[in-house]
Amino acid sequence: MNKSQFQQLKQYVGPNLLNYILNYAKITSKSDYDQLELLPVQVEVLDDLHTKIQQCRIQFIVQGGFGDGVDFYLRQITSNGTSLFNHYRQLCGGQLASPTSTDPLTSHLQQICIREYPNLLMKSSGTSYPPPWIGMNLGINGYDEIIRLVKNDVLDQITNKKDGLDYAFQFSTTDGLEFNSQVCTACSSIITRSFYDSCNRMDYSLSSVLKAIEENIDAMRQLANGQQVTYSSFIGIRGLQFRGFDTIEFPGSMLRQFPDDANPSMHTGRTVVSHSGNEAGEYSGHVLEVFHSTKISSTTGVVNTGNSIETNRFQENELQKLRFAVVFSSLANRGPVPTFFEIGFPLVNPGNYSFSDGHPGNYILIDEATKTKLVEWYDALSNKDLERVQTPLKRLQYAIFERRNPEDAIVDAIIAWEGMFSEAFETTFKVTGSMAKFLRSGLKRGEFFERLKKLYGLRNDLVHGRTSKLLKEENIEDVRAEVINIGLECIMKIISNDRLLSMSSAERIEAILVLDQTNNSSTQQAAASDNLSGTD
């Protein structure tokens, strides 16, 4: 074994599987072979694995394969009745785990997981077929045993009651999920779903996966008993960096940061970014775990659906709360972008997900102080009635997160101004005058008012296709940031003021321009406003 061969092993199977088979815990994606303190038997195992990889590559080519299908062939090799990787682990002094549950069905699935766990840990080449969660072939005897266990379980109540391979889980849920899944293959789905959900939670140790299997079986039984259960969905996030912590807990969700790029999740490459020399950490990339509640709506199901309109809407709502909480707390005019959306219901196969190729404009640092504001804003966005500010929020969403063209972002941001301060017979003065009086005081108000009128005139030029004098004199990206920041300042103050939040846009104009009662009636809320928005 030399440096080059060791790097090849890391490339083909990944550091997680190497640590597992060597009964070791020190190999990372950046480890150098010369830095490792390996026993002779561990070196022999690495040499043997390297030889088998070369044999698999030749076999793949001889059989007409294109690309590299090493992972597929390695998963097929067994030794002494167990997988090649478990055999290696035992040679290196490691013990194979035992099921943690005494429940017959749960214990049986955990035993299968223990056997297949190293295969799931292996870094996938991305070209082999079938992928590991589909290639988990339990055999006829294994299928018969799972069918027998389910038929003797309360889970039989949510099946079609048929026999053999026709025996299937069959039901629909109140949030639109639908299943007609063979019991034998559905149990494989539960195992692999437990593994990849654990990856999304940044703890894919075998003990964590065995616990997840137990929790998923318990959830299925609660559904069979007519109870309401909670399950998770996951959203990949790119564009944030945590400093000093790796998890933030929100009402109804959890945001976790990838510690490195070694996670065997299928989403790691899409979500994790390396930041060389950055004091906040070498890597960024996050997963937002969102908690859904559901129950059985009927015992009919024709197809398998990994999502529904309702689950998608729920995910999107939680994502937007997070994104706005980020920009509100950091005062950024660009925000994080999603990289994938995945439902973590026990019967949903891994790989049933959608993805996004968006790129963040920058990476926002979240330190302890920003974290506190972030949680406060997320809570406010979760618990306040935002019905009267949906239009400006939607337009700010477009301007900050979705518009690539700065002219489009400027138009959307100023439409958001109008959504906060406008009425049937709208005038430039009503919008800009209200905002100037709302956001500034004293000598600064007049200067700010004149600036708002210029920016509002820019909006009219852009909409009507006229050449803008302002954009000849100023950088368009700076103008984009300015109009968005003004919109953010307004919406943050309105959300922090329950009286203004409950008003229509026309009522706000009257309260600010005509009655001038905002400051007098909102004195008691000023402290709360300052804490949430950080504005003067």
Side-chain angles (χ1 to χ4, degrees), residues 366-383:
I366 308 295
D367 55 18
E368 284 289 352
T370 309
K371 173 185 174 182
T372 300
K373 293 180 181 179
L374 178 59
V375 173
E376 289 176 352
W377 274 114
Y378 197 101
D379 184 67
L381 293 168
S382 298
N383 296 313

Side-chain angles (χ1 to χ4, degrees), residues 19 22 54 65 112-113 124 148 156 170 178 183 194 204 215 227 252 260 282 299 304 347 406 424 429 504-505 507 513:
N19 280 319
L22 296 177
Q54 305 310 314
I112 296 171
C113 177
S124 175
R148 183 188 70 79
D156 185 58
Q170 183 174 291
E178 183 178 345
V183 167
S194 299
Y204 44 89
E215 291 172 346
Q227 298 173 306
D260 51 43
E282 293 185 68
T299 53
N304 294 324
L347 295 184
F429 172 76
S504 67
S505 57
E507 289 170 339
L513 274 185

Side-chain angles (χ1 to χ4, degrees), residues 6 10 23 43 68 113 140 145 156 160-161 244 257 284 385 402 429 449 451 473 486 491 512 531:
F6 180 69
K10 285 200 300 180
N23 190 31
V43 176
D68 201 331
C113 177
I140 295 299
E145 178 62 11
D156 185 58
N160 58 9
K161 306 296 193 298
Q257 180 167 266
S284 71
D385 184 357
E402 299 179 21
F429 172 76
F449 176 53
R451 181 61 177 173
E473 301 171 350
I486 291 169
I491 197 71
I512 293 170
N531 287 337

Side-chain angles (χ1 to χ4, degrees), residues 429-458:
F429 172 76
K430 288 180 180 178
V431 177
T432 58
S434 299
M435 293 175 65
K437 198 167 186 179
F438 185 47
L439 297 179
R440 299 293 183 268
S441 60
L443 297 177
K444 294 181 179 180
R445 181 180 294 166
E447 181 182 347
F448 187 54
F449 176 53
E450 293 302 319
R451 181 61 177 173
L452 290 175
K453 287 195 295 182
K454 285 186 178 181
L455 294 172
Y456 200 88
L458 169 61

Side-chain angles (χ1 to χ4, degrees), residues 250-269:
F250 300 112
S253 64
M254 295 278 287
L255 183 64
R256 299 180 178 90
Q257 180 167 266
F258 282 90
D260 51 43
D261 61 354
N263 192 307
S265 167
M266 65 193 80
H267 306 301
T268 299

Side-chain angles (χ1 to χ4, degrees), residues 77 85 112 130 138 141 212 257 347 356 364 429 464 482 484:
I77 302 175
F85 304 126
I112 296 171
L138 306 184
N141 291 335
Q257 180 167 266
L347 295 184
S356 170
I364 300 171
F429 172 76
H464 296 290
E482 183 181 7
I484 288 175

Side-chain angles (χ1 to χ4, degrees), residues 34-239:
D34 291 342
Q35 298 172 344
L36 303 178
E37 299 176 355
L38 299 178
L39 299 172
V41 66
Q42 293 172 318
V43 176
E44 290 176 10
V45 162
L46 292 179
D47 284 331
D48 189 66
L49 177 58
H50 187 267
T51 298
K52 284 186 168 53
I53 286 176
Q54 305 310 314
Q55 294 171 347
C56 289
R57 294 180 68 186
I58 294 172
Q59 182 180 1
F60 185 65
I61 294 171
V62 168
Q63 294 186 356
F66 293 92
D68 201 331
V70 168
D71 53 332
F72 171 70
Y73 285 99
L74 285 176
R75 290 185 178 103
Q76 313 309 309
I77 302 175
T78 60
S79 180
N80 296 331
T82 187
S83 75
L84 173 68
F85 304 126
N86 279 329
H87 174 64
Y88 283 154
R89 180 176 177 82
Q90 290 173 313
L91 288 177
C92 293
Q95 299 295 317
L96 300 187
S98 299
T100 58
S101 174
T102 58
D103 173 78
L105 176 59
T106 303
S107 176
H108 185 67
L109 296 185
Q110 288 181 334
Q111 187 62 58
I112 296 171
C113 177
I114 292 167
R115 185 187 74 203
E116 298 290 336
Y117 179 70
N119 288 336
L120 294 169
L121 276 182
M122 192 191 331
K123 179 181 176 182
S124 175
S125 69
T127 60
S128 62
Y129 185 85
W133 56 89
I134 296 176
M136 188 184 295
N137 190 340
L138 306 184
I140 295 299
N141 291 335
Y143 290 158
D144 289 343
E145 178 62 11
I146 287 172
I147 290 170
R148 183 188 70 79
L149 290 169
V150 173
K151 279 188 174 292
N152 291 326
D153 196 275
V154 68
L155 293 178
D156 185 58
Q157 297 180 24
I158 52 174
T159 70
N160 58 9
K161 306 296 193 298
K162 294 183 179 180
D163 296 320
L165 298 182
D166 292 329
Y167 187 46
F169 289 114
Q170 183 174 291
F171 60 89
S172 301
T173 68
T174 53
D175 57 350
L177 301 180
E178 183 178 345
F179 297 97
N180 193 318
S181 308
Q182 284 180 291
V183 167
C184 51
T185 57
C187 288
S188 298
S189 298
I190 292 173
I191 295 170
T192 51
R193 179 78 270 159
S194 299
F195 175 79
Y196 285 102
D197 286 357
S198 297
C199 290
N200 286 330
R201 294 174 181 132
M202 310 304 159
D203 180 6
Y204 44 89
S205 62
L206 181 54
S207 60
S208 177
V209 180
L210 296 181
K211 180 181 178 182
I213 290 173
E214 187 169 5
E215 291 172 346
N216 280 329
I217 291 296
D218 288 345
M220 292 285 291
R221 285 171 173 157
Q222 290 173 39
L223 287 173
N225 284 323
Q227 298 173 306
Q228 185 162 296
V229 300
T230 298
Y231 69 92
S232 298
S233 68
F234 302 94
I235 304 170
I237 304 290
R238 191 183 264 189

